[in-house]
Amino acid sequence: MEGQEGTQELHLVLAHKLFLLRHPDVQDIEKVRLKEEVFAVVKADDMAVLYEDLIADSVLERDQGVMDAMRTKNDDEIKKLDEKIADAEENLGESEVREAHLAKSLFFIRIGDKEKALEQLKVTESKTVAVGQKMDLVFYTLQLGFFYMDFDLISKSIDKAKNLFEEGGDWERKNRLKVYEGLYCLSTRNFKKAADLFLDSISTFTTYELFPYDTFIFYTVLTSIISLDRVSLKQKVVDAPEILTVIGKIPHLSEFLNSLYDCQYKSFFVAFAGLTEQIKLDRYLHPHFRYYMREVRTVVYSQFLESYKSVTIEAMAKAFGVTVEFIDLELSRFIAAGKLHCKIDKVAGVLETNRPDAKNALYQATIKQGDFLLNRIQKLSRVIDL
């Protein structure tokens, strides 16, 4: 289940097609093509278990002849693999025994049998001594986790990998793990940590089995924009040579990043609109689409207002290339949610910023924590008195 350099792992390509096939915004004519492609892959790899699941989910229709042929082939292959394992155990060394078990693990991964694949990977691990080879097994498990979006499996596997690195492990695998963990953080809405991990991996990226380098840069820029301050964004993203060489290939992304940094808000909104479809149709970002849209708008509105003590709503609307009514409604929502520190004077049509004083905020936080601590001490004293 490991892609060659520069090639995405085929099962993850299949997972994306299945995601689009179930997506309400994908046109029916496109879904017809996707269904044909999915069925062709399932049939070519004899993925009987996955085929059964897709039939149950009404994604594919049952073809009993195809199903029977798949199961026959699977049974024959398992018999051959078991014979190789038995032969290795009787006649060959530990290395050959491990390789035979690994082959059976990869077979179950290939046919989409998650439970048997995980079970066989554990057996293979018990036959494995080298830390590097144990890490490779964890990567196979992580790829399974991302195929099924099993976040519990992914989280446990990342923790396991980190424990293995305490025993040793090379830098290449450590750098690969950063990208896996970054994708997990992206998928679970921890964009700040995802940005940090992706930025650490830009110059050492080799994790082509997860996604192409263009996609990696796409995720890096998106997460960085809502996570980094302007100075860090300039140093790590806007001027990063690795990003500059690729960003122009990704529609709207360069305009999205640079117009934000250059305070060209009208251009930013145009690029922002162009990117929404890509975000919505991304398997990992789709669940967080609305959240991400809000966070980006918070960043850009905050940046604009930071330059003013007061500004007319009309001037802000003009800067963003939208109507006064749109900006008025947007800001009202963000102010009510505590995302923006300003107030609207409807009569004068003016926005007045009231940025929180850092020292005052720290003082208020200390008072609150002090009150909480005193309450806990009082409760504890009553318990002790009893």
Side-chain angles (χ1 to χ4, degrees):
M1 199 174 180
E2 187 174 358
Q4 296 175 353
E5 184 174 340
T7 305
Q8 188 178 7
E9 206 289 309
L10 293 177
H11 280 62
L12 294 180
V13 176
L14 175 62
H16 182 64
K17 288 179 179 179
L18 288 170
F19 162 74
L20 293 176
L21 200 48
R22 296 180 173 111
H23 201 294
D25 293 345
V26 175
Q27 294 182 353
D28 289 343
I29 192 167
E30 178 69 8
K31 287 185 176 181
V32 170
R33 182 185 65 80
L34 286 166
K35 186 178 285 190
E36 290 173 354
E37 291 177 0
V38 166
F39 182 66
V41 172
V42 167
K43 188 177 177 183
D45 279 345
D46 299 315
M47 304 173 79
V49 176
L50 181 63
Y51 186 34
E52 196 69 68
D53 292 340
L54 294 176
I55 292 167
D57 291 343
S58 301
V59 175
L60 295 177
E61 292 79 30
R62 181 182 292 276
D63 183 325
Q64 194 59 48
V66 171
M67 179 67 82
D68 292 342
M70 284 181 181
R71 284 176 173 159
T72 300
K73 287 181 182 177
N74 288 345
D75 290 343
D76 290 345
E77 187 64 27
I78 290 169
K79 186 178 178 182
K80 289 178 185 176
L81 289 165
D82 285 339
E83 287 172 357
K84 285 183 180 178
I85 290 170
D87 178 58
E89 288 175 342
E90 287 179 21
N91 306 310
L92 302 171
E94 292 180 357
S95 175
E96 288 79 8
V97 171
R98 180 195 174 275
E99 290 302 314
H101 279 287
L102 177 60
K104 191 174 180 182
S105 301
L106 296 179
F107 170 74
F108 283 131
I109 291 171
R110 195 195 85 202
I111 66 171
D113 194 332
K114 179 187 175 186
E115 300 309 317
K116 287 186 178 178
L118 291 174
E119 186 180 310
Q120 187 60 36
L121 281 167
K122 286 181 182 177
V123 175
T124 307
E125 185 186 4
S126 69
K127 309 290 182 183
T128 304
V129 176
V131 173
Q133 290 180 333
K134 285 184 178 180
M135 272 303 310
D136 290 338
L137 297 177
V138 175
F139 286 131
Y140 288 131
T141 306
L142 283 167
Q143 289 166 29
L144 265 178
F146 282 116
F147 181 85
Y148 291 99
M149 287 299 210
D150 185 339
F151 294 125
D152 184 54
L153 176 63
I154 295 168
S155 177
K156 287 176 179 176
S157 297
I158 289 170
D159 290 341
K160 183 176 182 178
K162 288 178 178 178
N163 290 333
L164 280 172
F165 280 136
E166 291 178 7
E167 300 175 22
D170 57 85
W171 283 106
E172 191 269 336
R173 288 185 175 93
K174 286 183 179 180
N175 289 327
R176 283 177 65 199
L177 182 64
K178 285 182 183 178
V179 180
Y180 277 85
E181 187 177 4
L183 183 58
Y184 168 68
C185 292
L186 176 79
S187 305
T188 53
R189 203 178 285 185
N190 189 348
F191 292 128
K192 175 71 174 72
K193 190 172 181 182
D196 291 340
L197 289 163
F198 287 153
L199 288 167
D200 280 349
S201 308
I202 279 186
S203 59
T204 57
F205 180 84
T206 57
T207 322
Y208 297 102
E209 68 272 17
L210 284 184
F211 36 61
Y213 190 62
D214 291 8
T215 303
F216 171 68
I217 294 299
F218 178 66
Y219 292 153
T220 303
V221 172
L222 290 187
T223 53
S224 296
I225 276 179
I226 62 171
S227 305
L228 303 182
D229 56 56
R230 274 180 63 80
V231 175
S232 299
L233 190 68
K234 174 73 169 169
Q235 292 173 345
K236 297 180 179 181
V237 183
V238 175
D239 291 340
E242 296 89 353
I243 291 176
L244 288 170
T245 56
V246 174
I247 196 168
K249 300 176 187 176
I250 305 164
H252 309 291
L253 192 62
S254 179
E255 296 89 340
F256 183 65
L257 172 64
N258 291 301
S259 58
L260 173 67
Y261 185 78
D262 295 335
C263 304
Q264 301 295 320
Y265 299 112
K266 193 181 291 187
S267 300
F268 175 82
F269 257 34
V270 172
F272 185 39
L275 275 176
T276 54
E277 194 72 7
Q278 288 174 253
I279 296 169
K280 196 184 291 185
L281 295 179
D282 185 274
R283 183 168 173 252
Y284 303 107
L285 288 169
H286 171 73
H288 317 295
F289 175 72
R290 291 184 181 278
Y291 173 83
Y292 186 80
M293 296 294 109
R294 285 195 301 271
E295 290 301 300
V296 169
R297 275 143 52 209
T298 300
V299 168
V300 72
Y301 293 150
S302 298
Q303 179 175 289
F304 176 86
L305 292 169
E306 203 160 310
S307 304
Y308 302 93
K309 188 164 185 177
S310 66
V311 62
T312 64
I313 299 175
E314 186 179 355
M316 186 171 180
K318 188 176 180 182
F320 282 89
V322 296
T323 64
V324 170
E325 290 76 17
F326 176 84
I327 280 291
D328 187 21
L329 182 62
E330 281 273 275
L331 294 180
S332 298
R333 288 172 178 165
F334 281 89
I335 292 167
K339 294 282 190 179
L340 294 176
H341 302 289
C342 64
K343 59 183 180 180
I344 302 174
D345 185 337
K346 293 281 283 187
V347 177
V350 170
L351 287 163
E352 295 179 2
T353 59
N354 53 346
R355 297 184 201 89
D357 179 31
K359 286 185 179 179
N360 187 47
L362 184 61
Y363 173 75
Q364 294 295 335
T366 304
I367 294 295
K368 281 184 180 179
Q369 289 168 2
D371 286 343
F372 177 73
L373 182 60
L374 285 171
N375 288 335
R376 294 292 295 270
I377 290 170
Q378 286 171 354
K379 286 180 182 178
L380 183 61
S381 66
R382 285 198 292 270
V383 171
I384 292 170
D385 289 342
L386 290 173

